[in-house]
Amino acid sequence: MLAHLQGGPVSNRVPLVDYLVLDGEPHLTARECTRCGARYFDRRNACAACEADTFHTVDVATEGELRAFTIVSFAAPGIPVPFVAGVVDCAGTSVRANVVNVPADPRHVRVGMKVRLATVTVGVDAAGVEAVGFGFEPAS
């Protein structure tokens, strides 16, 4: 919105989380501890692994391997079920996300499957601004 107030272009897409970058090729970023290399997606005052307090931002690989998943059958009202929640290893960075664009059954989802980052629209406001989230889809 600041760009609009300053006379610049307004993006009609906004990321649902701060660590989803939509400019260029969509990707995730993480905060990496400068001492031990542990990565976090949320704001940190100190590293949980080594207690250091300095971090830098790094890009996370957009392709990975599904390490664990569950098929969610019950959710809060208004959340469509079933869906697949998973943990993806993106070149050493663990990412928790839904597995999208695949049927939510064990015949179509398996541990070890190759996946890639995918963006998903989670809503559009009255001004036409699209809120964008992410998940991982089969990389076949």
Side-chain angles (χ1 to χ4, degrees), residues 10-64:
V10 174
S11 171
N12 62 348
R13 301 175 74 206
V14 294
L16 189 63
V17 293
D18 291 340
Y19 51 88
L20 173 60
V21 177
L22 298 176
D23 296 334
E25 197 65 32
H27 63 279
L28 303 176
T29 60
R31 301 291 296 153
E32 183 176 78
C33 175
T34 57
R35 182 185 298 161
C36 74
R39 291 185 174 182
Y40 304 96
F41 289 106
D42 55 350
R43 184 185 162 303
R44 292 283 167 149
N45 290 326
C47 178
C50 74
E51 300 179 7
D53 62 0
T54 56
F55 299 87
H56 62 271
T57 301
V58 295
D59 291 346
V60 175
T62 58
E63 295 189 354

Side-chain angles (χ1 to χ4, degrees), residues 61-138:
T62 58
E63 295 189 354
E65 183 176 305
L66 187 62
R67 295 294 185 164
F69 73 93
T70 189
I71 297 172
V72 179
S73 300
F74 299 97
I79 305 295
V81 291
F83 65 89
V84 180
V87 177
V88 176
D89 177 4
C90 293
T93 301
S94 182
V95 182
R96 288 150 188 81
N98 288 346
V99 181
V100 299
N101 301 326
V102 65
D105 69 61
R107 293 181 306 246
H108 295 92
V109 181
R110 62 178 171 66
V111 169
M113 72 186 281
K114 302 298 181 195
V115 293
R116 67 175 166 251
L117 185 73
T119 57
V120 294
T121 300
V122 294
V124 179
D125 71 8
V129 177
E130 176 185 8
V132 179
F134 73 93
F136 286 86
E137 64 186 1

